[in-house]
Amino acid sequence: MMFITGRKSINVKNFLIQAVFLFVVILVVASAFTSARTNLAELGISSGFSFLERATGWGYAFSLFESSINDPYKWTLFSGFANTLFLGLITIMTSTILGFIVGSARDSNNITIQAITALFIQLFRNIPLILQVVFWYAVLIHMPSPKQAYNMFDVAFLSNRGLMIPSFNVSPVLIFSLFVLLMLYWLLKERLLILRNASAKWFYGCIIFGVALYLLFCVEGNLFSVPSLKGLRFVGGTTVPVELITMIIACTLYGAAYIAEIVRGGLNEVPKGLVEAGNSLGLNERMVWFRIKLPMALRTIIPPLGNQWVFMMKATTVGVAIGFSDLFMLVSTSITQSGQTLELIAILMMAFLLINISIAQLVHHLNSRMALKGH
Amino acid sequence: MQINSDRSVLLAPPSKRVVKFLHQRAFRSKTDSIISIGFIITLSIVIYSLVNWAFIGAVWSADDVELCRTSSGACWSVIDARYRLILFGLYPYELHWRPILACIAIVVTVLLSCLPMMWSGKRLTLTWLVGFSSFYLLMEGRLLGLQEVSTGEWGGLALTLFLFSSVVLIGMPMGLGLALARRSTLPIIRHGVSLFIDTIRSLPLLTTLFVAAVVMPIVLPDWMVGDKIWRVIIAFSLFFACYQAEVFKGGFQGVSKGQFEAGDALGLSYFQVLHKIVLPQVFRNSLPGSINMVVITFKETAIVIIIGFFDVLASAHAAFGNGLWAPYYLEVYVFVALIYWSFIFSLSQYGAYLKRRMSIASH
């Protein structure tokens, strides 16, 4: 009997603790909401998402699409989201490639290569990202003016206005949708029966046919446009703004230093016996590398690599320091301009949640493809 | 790897050993030799021009600003003239001995916590409390009977160290609390805390700090708003705590279930089991991870410049400004980078050493 009452009193105690916890959490959230409402109402700001339809009345520097100060908030925020994704995906790709190169070179037998890669990693990993960003920004805006721009083989020019590169004379929407289509195909080809074998030919055929039709009928003038100096400025091509180049350089170097360490850790985990087995089978160094070391190492590399990708997506927010108009910058400007604080913060959180979940899905997909059969 | 197992290298006389080492590690094949020579040449050119820039052609004194225009090297005069601004911001000039002592207190605290003899919860807590409070008292001054300097006037490296040490000091116990709550047997608390930790972890630090600095004054009732710097420190500590909770989680997983059960069987209460048996092991297990978090936190404090604090990076910007020193921005950035780099490099090397040592011990 004693035992049962003891048990019961513990249950009651547990119930009470949780009830109090829940009560306090609800109280805090509710009071925060009500006081936010009253504070905002005093400023004459009504809550709700209707402000998304209003025109912003302010412009921003960098946009993948055409933008103007008459755009509604929803378009401006979407454009910021696209900028964040664009910068994040570019830096993820470049830093992963560079990181794999540096990380595997770190594993080399040659002592000079080891020294240089160690220097690279220790230099870029141990300086705060934001310091690297402002440093590269300062270096780039002190570049010569367009008239004395650095000429790279007559196709690209680097000046204090940014990097002038040749461009296709097609709309960015087309390139973006092609990219999305290919990504979807790559992710889903094993799930969808339609896209197997012979159907794949049809799939590719249709895409190529569609693009060819577009190029034939919709593009005016030259397909390719190369920048050239006319007077004081450049004509033709595309300008990559200084802010974007800065962010790409800084995030790539910083991320690559981390990824190199991840790759090296993964390579160290590969059992020595496997490499020796490969050597004794008469495989040359390159085959040992691609057939044994890399596939074995990838299994330990991919989970931390996924974390690093998420980190790099979040790191794009640092761009606000130099005025790169990513989602965070546009949300914070919107907050100061429109006052719709809670709604905009909610949108920001949702966007990052979406990004994190997508990367987690991608990593899960990669992981399951990499897993040893039967394990 | 294959090389070190070659005994003949180790047994040969010194000069031959060097030759053989170089042969195997740098000049084993033709491509190897080409790569080695290429890298050695590039590296020596880079080092030569760096030394030329930083030392040989450099101007050192603030009195020789005119020389900077013509010299080929760095103009360290800007550092000579403005280093007080970079280190201590707008802190009253004649009181600079106080931030100097305060910064030394924090550095000594960090160094002390690296000593193995300090690795117990009690000693570390004591060290950090003493270090932090002496920092705060010296900087603020009122309680020591010195002239009062409010937090608004703090800046530079002193402000960065202040943010760093208060985040670690407040965030550590918070992280432990979150880790314990996440292990709770009560489902509502466990899931609630997990949701909180995962939400904070999925957001960039900058948004968390931005919410604390800009949004909180709107959300909170007036009497709770407080100073901006404390709101930001608490938000930063929460962010730190959510990551540190994951580190502690790993530490808890390293303690076997039998240890908890043995404590229960001895009739110890929940808190006695934690305090006497589990936590000492958790701290030990999670030490390398915690050092890693501390290093990351030190690096991340640089971000507060965006939400308008006068930290070491902001004061560096002020140091070259738009006037006389504007052309010498590179020197200032190099100086600040060197400060960050030496802190972070030494701490992270120490963390790596500790991890190696512990992985050997556990084998």
Side-chain angles (χ1 to χ4, degrees), chain A residues 75-358:
Chain A
W75 178 248
T76 303
L77 292 174
F78 174 73
S79 169
F81 184 60
N83 287 352
T84 294
L85 273 187
F86 179 69
L87 174 63
L89 288 179
I90 288 182
T91 51
I92 280 176
M93 277 191 262
T94 48
S95 64
T96 306
I97 294 170
L98 186 61
F100 266 86
I101 293 173
V102 174
S104 23
R106 188 88 182 77
D107 194 49
S108 144
N109 172 45
N110 189 317
I111 198 164
T112 52
I113 298 181
Q114 270 191 16
I116 287 202
T117 48
L119 205 66
F120 175 89
I121 292 172
Q122 296 301 354
L123 183 63
F124 290 111
R125 222 167 80 113
N126 294 327
I127 296 175
L129 176 62
I130 185 163
L131 180 54
Q132 299 192 33
V133 168
V134 292
F135 171 82
W136 290 114
Y137 188 61
V139 169
L140 283 172
I141 55 171
H142 285 86
M143 286 276 157
S145 65
K147 226 179 157 188
Q148 282 101 36
Y150 290 113
N151 188 341
M152 300 168 193
F153 310 111
D154 268 339
V155 288
F157 302 88
L158 184 65
S159 73
N160 59 2
R161 296 293 163 78
L163 182 68
M164 268 55 94
I165 52 168
S167 65
F168 282 114
N169 216 346
V170 292
S171 77
V173 179
L174 177 79
I175 296 172
F176 184 70
S177 41
L178 266 182
F179 179 74
V180 170
L181 215 59
L182 283 176
M183 283 297 282
L184 278 181
Y185 173 72
W186 181 67
L187 285 177
L188 296 179
K189 66 179 170 188
E190 277 165 25
R191 305 255 175 93
L192 297 180
L193 219 74
I194 306 167
L195 296 179
R196 284 210 181 133
N197 306 328
S199 324
K201 274 182 202 160
W202 280 100
F203 181 78
Y204 283 125
C206 284
I207 290 181
I208 292 170
F209 187 66
V211 172
L213 272 186
Y214 174 85
L215 293 181
L216 263 180
F217 294 107
C218 301
V219 176
E220 298 159 13
N222 282 336
L223 181 59
F224 235 176
S225 128
V226 180
S228 60
L229 191 63
K230 290 260 165 66
L232 286 176
R233 45 187 236 103
F234 280 91
V235 182
T238 306
T239 309
V240 188
V242 177
E243 291 81 18
L244 182 59
I245 310 175
T246 306
M247 287 307 291
I248 290 177
I249 294 178
C251 290
T252 301
L253 292 176
Y254 189 73
Y258 270 92
I259 292 176
E261 282 291 272
I262 294 173
V263 170
R264 183 170 76 120
L267 289 173
N268 276 346
E269 295 279 300
V270 177
K272 218 168 123 188
L274 283 180
V275 179
E276 284 167 359
N279 284 332
S280 62
L281 279 175
L283 301 181
N284 60 25
E285 261 182 64
R286 189 189 299 167
M287 285 174 87
V288 168
W289 174 256
F290 280 107
R291 302 264 159 141
I292 297 174
K293 273 193 125 173
L294 196 60
M296 286 305 289
L298 274 182
R299 294 192 178 91
T300 37
I301 289 173
I302 285 176
L305 189 63
N307 286 341
Q308 185 61 28
W309 287 348
V310 172
F311 172 82
M312 295 194 62
M313 271 293 177
K314 293 192 275 185
T316 54
T317 49
V318 167
V320 71
I322 55 165
F324 178 76
S325 36
D326 69 335
L327 181 65
F328 176 71
M329 182 186 169
L330 293 181
V331 164
S332 57
T333 318
S334 302
I335 286 178
T336 49
Q337 294 285 336
S338 75
Q340 306 283 352
T341 317
L342 298 183
E343 295 83 358
L344 284 161
I345 291 291
I347 290 174
L348 186 68
M349 284 172 78
M350 284 301 135
F352 273 103
L353 216 58
L354 187 70
I355 290 175
N356 289 346
I357 291 173
S358 326

